[in-house]
Amino acid sequence: MTVSSRHLLSLLLCIIASARLVHPSSALVEIRRACLPADLPQIRDCRRTAFPEGAQLLGASKSFINADQIQRENIVCVVAEEKSWSASRVLGTADVDVDTNTVNNVFVREDARGRGLGRALMEGVEGILDRPVTLSLQVDTQNTPAVGLYQSLGFEARGIHALVSGLSAVTSWSLQVKMTKHLD
């Protein structure tokens, strides 16, 4: 084995050891904290896919795409990064405000959904927080995949939020509900 072959093997083993394989495929997916500002272009590219090409974007949408929030000191962005031999790309993101323990902007590219990345991103968020803590998020009640994911992770709507969640189940109204989870 030549020196360059050993180096390549060592590098490969390092990548495999640090990556969390989320779904069997030809590429590894690593869940990790974003490295700013280096990851900003890929995060923006990922978030841009949330909107149709040429769509008129309002302030909040532009801020989401530009990743304005994660550039603040109290915000941590967790990314799901697909790594292959030729390139890497961010498949999803989740932001957490470490001062308020509030999760925002959980997003997975449409072409990467169904691989467990939303769950892995949320577990990544939970992994960076000091314990004990109560984690919270807001979700649109019509986003049933997200509501189901958060419930399966132990998040609950309580009090008035549980009432709102129940009301949205019997109407076509799109309502925002707060969900919380206590981490020991």
Side-chain angles (χ1 to χ4, degrees):
M1 187 181 279
T2 66
V3 173
S4 61
S5 296
R6 282 189 198 144
H7 179 71
L8 182 60
L9 181 59
S10 174
L11 180 62
L12 176 62
L13 291 174
C14 181
I15 291 170
I16 290 171
S18 68
R20 176 172 176 213
L21 185 60
V22 175
H23 186 272
S25 69
S26 60
L28 295 176
V29 177
E30 180 183 11
I31 306 300
R32 62 173 177 79
R33 286 175 88 138
C35 299
L36 299 177
D39 287 333
L40 273 175
Q42 285 202 38
I43 291 169
R44 289 175 175 151
D45 181 60
C46 174
R47 291 181 176 189
R48 195 173 293 112
T49 67
F51 303 96
E53 186 89 23
Q56 290 289 349
L57 302 177
L58 301 176
S61 300
K62 288 179 184 176
S63 179
F64 169 74
I65 291 172
N66 289 333
D68 294 337
Q69 180 177 343
I70 67 171
Q71 297 175 66
R72 295 197 313 244
E73 195 172 298
N74 59 318
I75 306 295
V76 174
C77 179
V78 175
V79 297
E81 181 182 31
E82 182 177 55
K83 296 183 174 215
S84 67
W85 290 109
S86 58
S88 66
R89 72 179 182 139
V90 171
L91 300 177
T93 66
D95 305 339
V96 62
D97 182 323
V98 294
D99 291 341
T100 64
N101 302 312
T102 303
V103 179
N104 293 300
N105 302 324
V106 179
F107 175 74
V108 175
R109 289 176 185 263
E110 190 171 345
D111 65 347
R113 293 180 186 163
R115 296 171 53 183
L117 296 177
R119 174 175 298 279
L121 286 164
M122 290 300 294
E123 290 169 353
V125 164
E126 290 179 18
I128 64 169
L129 296 173
D130 293 330
R131 307 266 197 318
V133 67
T134 298
L135 194 56
S136 68
L137 55 84
Q138 295 235 1
V139 64
D140 186 314
T141 55
Q142 296 299 311
N143 187 349
T144 53
V147 172
L149 169 66
Y150 301 140
Q151 288 173 335
S152 75
L153 289 167
F155 282 84
E156 298 177 336
R158 297 179 182 254
I160 188 70
H161 297 286
L163 177 67
V164 168
S165 183
L167 179 62
S168 70
V170 295
T171 70
S172 60
W173 297 345
S174 180
L175 305 168
Q176 291 288 309
V177 64
K178 180 179 179 179
M179 299 181 81
T180 60
K181 176 182 180 179
H182 187 73
L183 304 173
D184 291 319

